[in-house]
Amino acid sequence: MPLTHPAGVPAHMLALDWLSVLVAVLRPDGAVMFANAALEQQLGMSRRTLEGADFSMCFTEPALLQTALAGARSQDFEALRYEAGLKRLHQEPLPVHVNVSPGQGDELVVELWPLEQQARQDREDRLLEQAQAHKELIRNLAHEIKNPLGGIRGAAQLLEMELQNPELTEYTEVIVHEADRLQALVDRLLAPHRHPHQVGDVNIHEVCERVRSLILVEHPQGLRVVRDYDTSIPEFRGDRAQLIQALLNIVQNAAQALAERIAAGDACITLRTRVARQVTFGRQRYRLALELHVIDNGPGVPDAIRDRIFYPLVSGRDGGSGLGLTLAQTFVQRHHGMIECESRPGRTDFRILIPLP
């Protein structure tokens, strides 16, 4: 006999509540035996209401599911996939990718992936893969640059000692200065790999307040930093210094984009903290996660670099190193999180997501 919940629901069905995928378990006639929490949320209907109902009526084209169920019953295929529209209470239908497959006994399992969510997960996977590839490339390149730089600087200093003409020493000074500048750039590229991950209890609002004070010292006039905190957010284990640096990089990036508004005196950056529940990112579902938003009223991210802003050495302003957001993403990924960005003229929102205990 299978282990059952007190309400009579088999344990293998209850485990489906932990999935971010929308799942319905059907009888052979298409009646709902079980709907997981993710499906309840999307449909805007309780599990109790769905039980016993004809699940095909939840779609804009019921015949597609009815045909798929008939094929499953006759064992014409192991699994059938198609796209459909899922009806939702007081909302537009949700485009979904449908997968119908046999379950235990005579059960039929219908899995639904929102096409928007699938696209987002594919985008997250692509970003993570690209970030890892760029990280390795930059680290290897930095090491290759560092060794000859020391030789160039040393040779320039020796040459300067031998030169008697002060006018010529200006050239060696330029060489030494530029070598030092490149050395500093290489050190910044290698910084995330050099510093160990020092874990302790982190209060995210202490992190926000530290960054707020630093940015206001840098921009005492013309910039307002608004606090919008959810003080119920619990402490979590993390590297406080790395999180301060990650948030500071994002806020400084926002402040630099706000240069014209700061000069006009109406620049605004909002630090907003919230708890996200049952959220999925990085192809993992978390019961609780921190949502930290950095919102500015600047001109927005240029279209030309919008898809590449987290790449190393990509910058939207003259003189920018293009490392700030790359390092921020690296530090947040060390906390099993990620950074997303939505931008339009007048509002840019960087959202940091980090799992909470």
Side-chain angles (χ1 to χ4, degrees):
M1 293 291 292
L3 178 66
T4 59
H5 184 267
V9 179
H12 74 277
M13 293 188 188
L14 290 174
L16 299 174
D17 274 340
W18 292 97
L19 300 178
S20 60
V21 180
L22 318 183
V23 182
V25 181
L26 310 181
R27 299 191 185 97
D29 62 358
V32 177
M33 296 176 63
F34 178 84
N36 74 342
L39 180 57
E40 283 184 290
Q41 184 178 1
Q42 281 290 356
L43 290 175
M45 301 171 63
S46 70
R47 183 176 300 163
R48 184 170 297 180
T49 302
L50 287 167
E51 287 176 358
D54 181 357
F55 191 53
S56 67
M57 293 298 105
C58 294
F59 294 88
T60 54
E61 297 182 66
L64 291 175
L65 180 62
Q66 291 166 358
T67 301
L69 295 177
R73 286 194 297 267
S74 61
Q75 299 182 341
D76 289 344
F77 50 80
E78 289 188 8
L80 176 67
R81 299 178 180 180
Y82 65 95
E83 293 183 3
L86 183 69
K87 294 179 183 176
R88 296 184 292 175
L89 196 62
H90 308 306
Q91 296 184 67
E92 291 293 318
L94 176 70
V96 291
H97 184 86
V98 183
N99 183 81
V100 181
S101 58
Q104 292 190 15
D106 60 356
E107 297 171 0
L108 297 171
V109 178
V110 180
E111 300 167 272
L112 312 172
W113 287 274
L115 296 182
E116 179 182 337
Q117 178 180 326
Q118 185 68 42
R120 177 184 170 186
Q121 288 181 344
D122 291 342
R123 185 170 65 251
E124 288 176 1
D125 288 346
R126 191 166 59 252
L127 284 173
L128 288 172
E129 289 175 6
Q130 290 171 342
Q132 187 62 35
H134 284 112
K135 197 180 333 180
E136 291 301 318
L137 173 63
I138 289 298
R139 181 163 56 176
N140 293 335
L141 182 61
H143 279 298
E144 291 297 321
I145 293 172
K146 189 172 182 179
N147 293 331
L149 265 183
I152 292 170
R153 191 183 192 282
Q157 288 177 316
L158 289 173
L159 182 60
E160 184 176 349
M161 292 169 61
E162 296 295 328
L163 291 173
Q164 302 298 321
N165 187 339
E167 293 182 1
L168 294 178
T169 59
E170 292 181 10
Y171 297 114
T172 57
E173 288 172 0
V174 168
I175 296 172
V176 171
H177 175 76
E178 289 303 301
D180 288 342
R181 186 178 65 82
L182 286 173
Q183 180 67 55
L185 176 62
V186 168
D187 288 341
R188 290 190 66 195
L189 289 170
L190 293 173
H193 312 286
R194 285 180 169 170
H195 298 298
H197 197 48
Q198 298 178 346
V199 176
D201 291 332
V202 176
N203 182 319
I204 194 59
H205 298 120
E206 291 178 358
V207 171
C208 291
E209 286 300 294
R210 174 66 174 159
V211 170
R212 183 177 183 272
S213 64
L214 289 172
I215 205 68
L216 288 177
V217 167
E218 191 175 341
H219 301 278
Q221 301 292 329
L223 174 63
R224 189 165 53 101
V225 181
V226 176
R227 305 174 179 99
D228 182 3
Y229 298 159
D230 178 353
T231 55
S232 69
I233 295 175
E235 291 188 347
F236 58 94
R237 301 289 289 174
D239 188 317
R240 184 174 182 271
Q242 287 187 0
L243 290 174
I244 288 174
Q245 189 62 58
L247 181 58
L248 181 60
N249 286 1
I250 295 172
V251 173
Q252 284 179 330
N253 192 71
Q256 289 158 358
L258 286 167
E260 291 186 8
R261 282 192 172 271
I262 290 175
D266 63 350
C268 180
I269 295 175
T270 300
L271 300 178
R272 176 180 299 160
T273 60
R274 293 291 186 269
V275 172
R277 302 180 188 278
Q278 301 298 340
V279 63
T280 301
F281 55 90
R283 286 199 177 272
Q284 297 227 13
R285 187 173 179 83
Y286 299 98
R287 187 176 63 87
L288 294 175
L290 163 69
E291 267 192 14
L292 171 54
H293 296 261
V294 178
I295 305 169
D296 70 68
N297 63 340
V301 178
D303 291 340
I305 64 168
R306 186 166 297 174
D307 295 332
R308 301 181 291 119
I309 55 173
F310 295 108
Y311 290 7
L313 307 180
V314 173
S315 177
R317 63 185 180 85
D318 293 337
S321 68
L323 295 176
L325 293 180
T326 303
L327 295 178
Q329 186 75 278
T330 297
F331 289 144
V332 170
Q333 285 174 353
R334 283 188 169 192
H335 292 78
H336 309 290
M338 67 176 301
I339 307 175
E340 299 177 328
C341 177
E342 293 183 2
S343 183
R344 64 175 188 271
R347 191 180 193 276
T348 296
D349 181 359
F350 281 89
R351 182 173 71 143
I352 299 173
L353 289 163
I354 295 176
L356 290 174

